[in-house]
Amino acid sequence: MSNIYNPYDLEPFEPTHPGELLGDELEARGLTQRKFTETIGISCSVLNEVIKGKRPVTPELAFKIEAATGTKAYIWVELQTQYNYWTAKKSKKLSVLLDQIRKSVAVL
């Protein structure tokens, strides 16, 4: 028996926070966080929070990363957007709120 999947039922992979990928990139290039922050003009604590996934890669930061690494800014922003979307989709609190909104709209 073969399984036939509806593409809308399939869950995509869990996206990686772009900060984790940036940390890997710095390591591969042999760059310390301190050297990288001095190069792009941000604080060590900001970069560390990005790498740990506690702070997002903003468009401004993405352009700085692009200038330093050559990796296009839109890639960093898109990775962040995918991560944000996945995180929101998995949020129980948001799910409850959305159900309430749908019920409210249904009675209009």
Side-chain angles (χ1 to χ4, degrees):
M1 179 198 306
S2 69
N3 291 331
I4 299 177
Y5 297 100
N6 179 336
Y8 299 105
D9 293 337
L10 298 176
E11 285 290 322
F13 68 96
E14 178 180 336
T16 303
H17 189 281
E20 184 178 335
L21 300 174
L22 178 58
D24 293 344
E25 182 67 21
L26 297 181
E27 185 177 323
R29 292 172 184 246
L31 288 171
T32 64
Q33 287 185 26
R34 181 169 302 284
K35 178 65 176 168
F36 192 70
T37 58
E38 290 170 359
T39 301
I40 67 171
I42 64 171
S43 72
C44 288
S45 63
V46 167
L47 180 62
N48 190 264
E49 288 177 359
V50 169
I51 289 173
K52 289 183 175 183
K54 296 180 179 180
R55 183 183 285 253
V57 173
T58 63
E60 181 181 324
L61 178 57
F63 281 116
K64 291 178 179 183
I65 295 169
E66 176 183 333
T69 67
T71 305
K72 296 293 185 186
Y74 75 86
I75 293 172
W76 295 106
V77 171
E78 180 61 26
L79 288 168
Q80 185 67 56
T81 299
Q82 289 173 5
Y83 181 81
N84 293 349
Y85 179 83
W86 182 86
T87 302
K89 187 176 179 182
K90 297 297 179 186
S91 167
K92 299 286 187 207
K93 186 176 179 180
L94 179 60
S95 180
V96 169
L97 178 61
L98 294 176
D99 285 343
Q100 291 171 351
I101 293 169
R102 287 182 188 109
K103 287 175 186 172
S104 294
V105 171
V107 296
L108 294 179

